[in-house]
Amino acid sequence: YNAIEGAFDRSLKLYEVGLRWSLRHRLTLLLGSLAVLAATAWLFVQIPKGFIPEEDTGQMIAFTEAIQGVSFEALAAHQQQLARILAQDRNVAAFMSSVGSRGSSTGPNNGLFFMRLKPRRERPPAKEVMEELRPKLSVIPGMRAFLQIPPTIRIGGRLTKSQYQYTLQGSDLAELYRDAPLLEAKMRTLPGLRDVTSDLQITNPQVQVDIDRDKAAQLGVSMRSIEDALYYAYGSRQVSTIFSPNNQYQVILELEPQYQRDPGALGLLYVHADGGALVPLSALARLTAGVGPLAVTHSGQLPSVTISFDLEPGTSLSQGVAAVDRAARSLLPPTISTSFQGTAQAFQSSLQGLGLLLVMAILVIYLVLGILYESFIHPLTILSALPFAGFGALVTLMLFHTELSMYAFVGIILLVGLVKKNGIMMVDFAIEAQRDGKLTPAEAIYQASVVRFRPIMMTTMAALMGTLPIALGLGAGAESRRPLGLAVVGGLLFSQLLTLFVTPVFYVYMDGLQGWLSRTFRRSSAKKERIVLSDSGLDGAAHE
């Protein structure tokens, strides 16, 4: 106790010396405060911005993509090669693998891995694991792997191979398919972007079957018979079910595998005519080999192409979104509309409202303090500490290479409530000390600052100790919470060092401003009263 009290007494004496110097050099501190306010606004614009930080949950996803037109057997063989690499990795505890179509978000040339990593104490962070796996999974020719850490909150959008999506829409399909690959190629060259890919797959090998309807009608072959023959050969028609004591088995009709791989085998198919005769398909149709799309995707009933991308380490989402926007404006015609989807779209929407949210929070506090003190001036004195808190929070985030994410912004909003309590303690005491009329504003605020120094330090240290573990990144899922802790700790430290000296200076200036406004108002009211009395005297003389 004696040691702590001795340290506190020395701190208080040092603070009294600094406070007296501050009150003697009020103009210098006022100009410095205005400079900090300008620097805070500049930092808020310049700092890299993100949305929701990635969180290490011990899971990872890998989307795989083979060349268009790959057979299922070749796709499965490539996937098994990647599976052997994952099975030998020291950081992967278990994984699940699948290939082929799984709804509208994937195609027949895609695969998927769900990985469960080893416990956190036995491996590096998930980001480092992902960077180690990336070159290992890129050694299989004809197969690409796109790694993702599953987001804590998945917000809309398509399930794409990369995390962020940019969608192009247009009514002219030819124009859309011509310009989308140009933008994709441009995005591959942009610094800060990686794993750029799209759902536009229009070079899938296909065979065009052009049926001669007149000849088919002459031979008594219907279109339904031709469609059935093709579906029996290459589809997955179930013709029966085998029931056993323990299970049941579907009987699927198909060609022998060697005929499925050869496009020329189409000419060997026979179609049933109305009379029961078998007619070769080559006698009814012309077979043309070519390429075509695997699927035509739509968004809002318009044909669309979605280009997905990830960010290089050290690149913020705001920088990536701005780079993609610039590239799209320089390449795409006005007939193609563009928009971000999913997380990128939510980030853009939230970014537009963050500044307004902060302004509204400060406005509400100002109104409450104005009602409390029945003054329009002294709430400004209390709020004078906010630029220092914001400056400290933003500088701390930049020093630790951390984006201004949603969690960090919540920390800044929290700072608004934590920092203003210092001003409330000082101003409330100074106003009470001035009411008897014996103390000047400078003497009153000096006395208030010295007396309230202990509770100010106590509350600030309590807030610092409460948020320091968050800033240090301790505990499970600490990656997402750490920006909040950094913003609060940095803002409190910086504002605490300066507002103890700046707030008294603002109080003296604001009290002088309030006195000047009161005197001006009283003189104006007295002048109006004399004019009214003079007008009343003239009216009485005229009446007589």
Side-chain angles (χ1 to χ4, degrees), residues 64 72 75-77 79-80 97-102 107-108 110-112 143:
T64 57
F72 181 82
L75 177 62
Q79 188 85 348
Q80 289 170 356
S97 172
S98 66
V99 293
S101 298
R102 293 176 305 279
N110 296 142
L112 182 66
M143 196 74 163

Side-chain angles (χ1 to χ4, degrees), residues 54-76:
E54 291 181 342
E55 184 174 335
D56 188 350
T57 59
Q59 297 179 342
M60 196 176 297
I61 301 175
F63 294 91
T64 57
E65 180 183 38
I67 60 174
Q68 299 181 43
V70 66
S71 66
F72 181 82
E73 291 79 7
L75 177 62

Side-chain angles (χ1 to χ4, degrees), residues 169 175-176 178-179 328-338:
Q169 294 175 277
E175 182 184 51
L176 180 65
R178 183 188 69 242
D179 292 331
R329 286 196 299 268
S330 64
L331 287 177
L332 299 180
T335 53
I336 295 180
S337 60
T338 61

